[in-house]
Amino acid sequence: NRNMKHANVKSTLPGPNAQQLLNRRHNSVPKGVSFGIPTFVQSAEGALVTDVDGNTFIDFAGAIGTINVGHCHPKVQQALKDQVDRYIHTGFNVIMYEPYIELSEKLAQLAPGDFEKKVMLLNSGAEAVENAVKIARKYTKRTGVVSFSRGFHGRTLLTMTMTSKVKPYKYEFGPFAPEVYRAPYPYPYRRPEGMTLEEYDQYVLQEFKNFLISDVAPETIAAVVMEPVQGEGGFIVPSKTFVQGVHQLCQEHGILFVADEIQTGFARTGRYFAVEHFGIVPDLITVSKSLGAGVPISGVIGRSEIMDQADPGELGGTYSGSPLGCQAALAVLDIIEEEKLNERAEMIGESVMNKFRKLAQRFDCIGDVRGLGAMCAMEIVKDRKTKEPDQALTQAIIAEASRKGLLLLAAGVYSNVIRLLMPIVITDEQLEEGLWILEQALSSVAKAGIAVEV
C-alpha cells in the first residue's frame, strides 16, 4: 500500500466537529441546498482542503471549476488585502473605479477575435448568461434563444429554462421563460450503432438544420448559446465540424453565437477560452467561475457594436463587477500567464487521460473516457454493450474516494460521469496521489473487469 503524503482522513465522515455543524446546518439551511461530502472546510491551500476534524483531501472538484489557480493563491490574497484597505464597494453605476476598467481591457484583449470588444462585469455565471441574452435581443431585435440538450446555464428563471436536466434543476419550478428552444448536441459515445464519428457529425448537423425548420424560424432567433465543452452535461467534447457548422448557420441567419465559457474558461482546457480549440470566433462570451479564484465575478465579452446597443441604465446591478472580484480576477490573469497554466493544463490532461485509459482496461464499468486539456471525465456504465448508465456505482466510487481523501464530482444527465476539475496548480505528486486514490476507490467498489481495449 502506497505511503500517502497529502491526503489524510483520520476520522469517519462526518467527524465529531463536522457532525455538530451538520446538525446546525439541518436546523437552519433548507434541504434543497445540496452538499457533497458531509464535512466542513477549515482551511484550503493549492489543491488541498482540510476540514474541521483535521482531515486533508486532495481537491479534484475545485469548487465546481472555480479554483483553477488553486485555493488561497498568495497573489489573490494580497490583491484582496490591498483592495480592502482602499475601498470595498461604491457601485460602478454610482462612482466608478479603475479595477473594472483594467479587467475589461484585459479580457477584451485575451478573448478571440481581432475586432473591437467591450466587456460588462457581473456577479455570477447565470447573471452573465442572462445579460448575454439581453444584449443579443437588444442588438438583433429578435427574442428567441437556442440552447442545447444537456446544456447547463444556471438556476435563474431564464437560465433554468435554458438548462436541460429536469431533476434537480427544473422539476416543479415552472412555468418557464418563453421563447427558449433546445437543439440537439452531439454525444459521440452514445451515437447510433454502426455510425462513424464523421457520419454522426453530419447527422447531428442535419438535425440542427431540421430544427431550424421544424421547431423555430431562424429569423426569430437572437442567440445560440453553446458550451464549447458541456460541463454539467458530462464533459462532452463536440467535434470541430459540429461547432463550426453551428457557427456557420448562425452567420447565415444573423444569429449571434454565444460561447458559455463559465466552466471551460481560464486554462481549464489548455487555453484561456475553450472555443479557441474549435477555430471559430464567438460574438459574445460569458465568463465566471475560475476568473475570480473563488470571489464572485462574471462577465460578458463581446463585439463593441453588439455590446453598445443598450442605452445607459439598461445593463448593470448593485454588485456587478465588484472591486474585490475585479482585483481577484486581475491577479488570476497574471497567475495564468506567469505560471504558464495553459501549458500546465495540457500536461495534466495528458497524465489524466493516460491513467483513465489504463483504468478502462482494468475496469469494465468504465464505458468511456474523454476530455479536452485538463477537463477530463470517465463515464460509468452497467454494461459496455448496452451502455446503461450506473448512477449508483458512480456515487459509490465518489463516496469511497472521499473516505480515502479525494474530492470528486459527478456530472451528466444520468449522473454517471466522474469529472475532474482539480486546480491547475496541483503538483505532480498530488495529481499522482489523487489518481491513485481514484484507482483504489474503483478497486474497492467496482469489480475488476476483463481487460478490454477502449
Side-chain angles (χ1 to χ4, degrees):
N1 208 7
R2 181 199 160 100
N3 180 22
M4 296 215 290
K5 289 185 178 170
H6 302 283
N8 181 14
V9 177
K10 302 176 285 199
S11 74
T12 55
L13 297 177
N17 294 328
Q19 186 59 62
Q20 287 184 329
L21 285 166
L22 199 55
N23 296 340
R24 286 168 58 191
R25 181 228 134 96
H26 290 321
N27 288 332
S28 59
V29 179
K31 68 178 190 294
V33 179
S34 64
F35 59 92
I37 61 168
T39 191
F40 291 78
V41 62
Q42 181 71 49
S43 63
E45 189 182 345
L48 301 177
V49 176
T50 301
D51 78 358
V52 289
D53 291 292
N55 300 309
T56 301
F57 303 87
I58 295 171
D59 187 1
F60 274 17
I64 321 182
T66 307
I67 310 290
N68 288 358
V69 303
H71 294 278
C72 296
H73 194 291
K75 283 216 137 128
V76 174
Q77 287 178 318
Q78 195 55 54
L80 291 171
K81 285 172 185 167
D82 292 347
Q83 184 57 46
V84 165
D85 286 343
R86 287 194 292 273
Y87 56 90
I88 291 174
H89 195 55
T90 58
F92 192 73
N93 302 110
V94 179
I95 182 161
M96 297 175 285
Y97 37 85
E98 190 183 357
Y100 190 117
I101 307 304
E102 197 185 340
L103 180 57
S104 298
E105 289 168 343
K106 289 209 162 146
L107 288 173
Q109 198 184 335
L110 284 172
D114 53 3
F115 42 76
E116 291 291 312
K117 300 181 207 88
K118 290 195 174 177
V119 178
M120 80 168 293
L121 299 173
L122 300 139
N123 303 290
S124 68
E127 206 179 348
V129 175
E130 290 259 353
N131 278 277
V133 170
K134 271 175 74 171
I135 291 163
R137 283 174 167 168
K138 193 79 178 176
Y139 177 76
T140 60
K141 306 290 185 275
R142 302 170 179 184
T143 53
V145 179
V146 172
S147 59
F148 291 88
S149 54
R150 294 181 313 279
F152 180 91
H153 300 286
R155 297 169 188 260
T156 56
L157 176 65
L158 177 62
T159 58
M160 171 175 65
T161 307
M162 292 165 68
T163 290
S164 205
K165 196 173 181 179
V166 178
K167 290 182 180 179
Y169 302 124
K170 303 170 77 156
Y171 183 63
E172 295 180 336
F173 289 130
F176 300 105
E179 294 297 307
V180 175
Y181 304 91
R182 188 155 299 105
Y185 188 97
Y187 197 155
Y189 172 59
R190 295 185 177 275
R191 68 187 183 276
E193 219 171 318
M195 206 180 259
T196 66
L197 285 169
E198 289 72 23
E199 289 165 346
Y200 181 59
D201 275 338
Q202 293 313 316
Y203 166 75
V204 185
L205 268 176
Q206 189 55 52
E207 287 291 285
F208 188 78
K209 287 176 188 169
N210 296 344
F211 163 84
L212 291 178
I213 296 165
S214 64
D215 288 57
V216 61
E219 59 271 24
T220 65
I221 296 298
V224 164
V225 184
M226 181 195 285
E227 298 163 276
V229 177
Q230 287 194 328
E232 286 305 304
F235 279 28
I236 295 164
V237 187
S239 67
K240 251 186 186 176
T241 306
F242 176 75
V243 178
Q244 290 178 354
V246 171
H247 183 250
Q248 178 65 40
L249 284 163
C250 286
Q251 289 186 308
E252 283 170 25
H253 294 291
I255 299 167
L256 299 189
F257 186 100
V258 183
D260 181 336
E261 292 267 7
I262 288 158
Q263 194 167 146
T264 51
F266 304 105
R268 176 50 52 189
T269 66
R271 302 279 195 283
Y272 280 99
F273 304 94
V275 79
E276 296 173 57
H277 291 280
F278 297 94
I280 64 145
V281 176
D283 299 296
L284 299 170
I285 301 174
T286 59
V287 294
S288 188
K289 286 195 185 282
S290 274
L291 174 60
V295 182
I297 181 120
S298 70
V300 182
I301 308 165
R303 294 176 183 268
S304 292
E305 67 272 20
I306 298 171
M307 297 295 286
D308 267 337
Q309 200 62 42
D311 288 320
E314 292 185 341
L315 304 173
T318 304
Y319 291 106
S320 294
S322 87
L324 294 175
C326 291
Q327 293 292 20
L330 288 166
V332 163
L333 296 178
D334 285 347
I335 293 161
I336 293 173
E337 196 177 335
E338 284 163 17
E339 301 186 18
K340 298 188 166 52
L341 294 191
N342 282 313
E343 293 88 327
R344 177 76 185 138
E346 295 277 1
M347 287 156 61
I348 290 171
E350 221 167 282
S351 299
V352 169
M353 291 308 289
N354 285 338
K355 183 67 172 180
F356 276 9
R357 283 189 277 268
K358 284 181 186 144
L359 291 174
Q361 289 174 358
R362 268 189 68 196
F363 299 99
D364 57 9
C365 63
I366 300 174
D368 189 35
V369 297
R370 52 182 179 257
L372 187 64
M375 195 168 179
C376 305
M378 56 166 73
E379 182 157 351
I380 307 299
V381 294
K382 289 180 182 175
D383 181 306
R384 280 192 175 174
K385 278 200 170 62
T386 65
K387 300 180 181 177
E388 188 188 340
D390 199 336
Q391 185 184 349
L393 184 58
T394 307
Q395 287 311 316
I397 294 164
I398 289 171
E400 183 61 24
S402 68
R403 285 191 287 271
K404 295 177 189 296
L406 179 68
L407 301 181
L408 288 172
L409 291 171
V413 282
Y414 311 113
S415 305
N416 70 318
V417 175
I418 293 173
R419 55 172 157 171
L420 303 193
L421 287 165
M422 70 286 283
I424 310 293
V425 298
I426 194 168
T427 66
D428 288 344
E429 205 176 60
Q430 290 164 345
L431 178 64
E432 198 184 314
E433 189 173 308
L435 291 170
W436 182 82
I437 296 171
L438 176 55
E439 183 170 0
Q440 297 310 299
L442 271 160
S443 297
S444 301
V445 301
K447 58 180 197 301
I450 303 99
V452 184
E453 287 303 313
V454 168

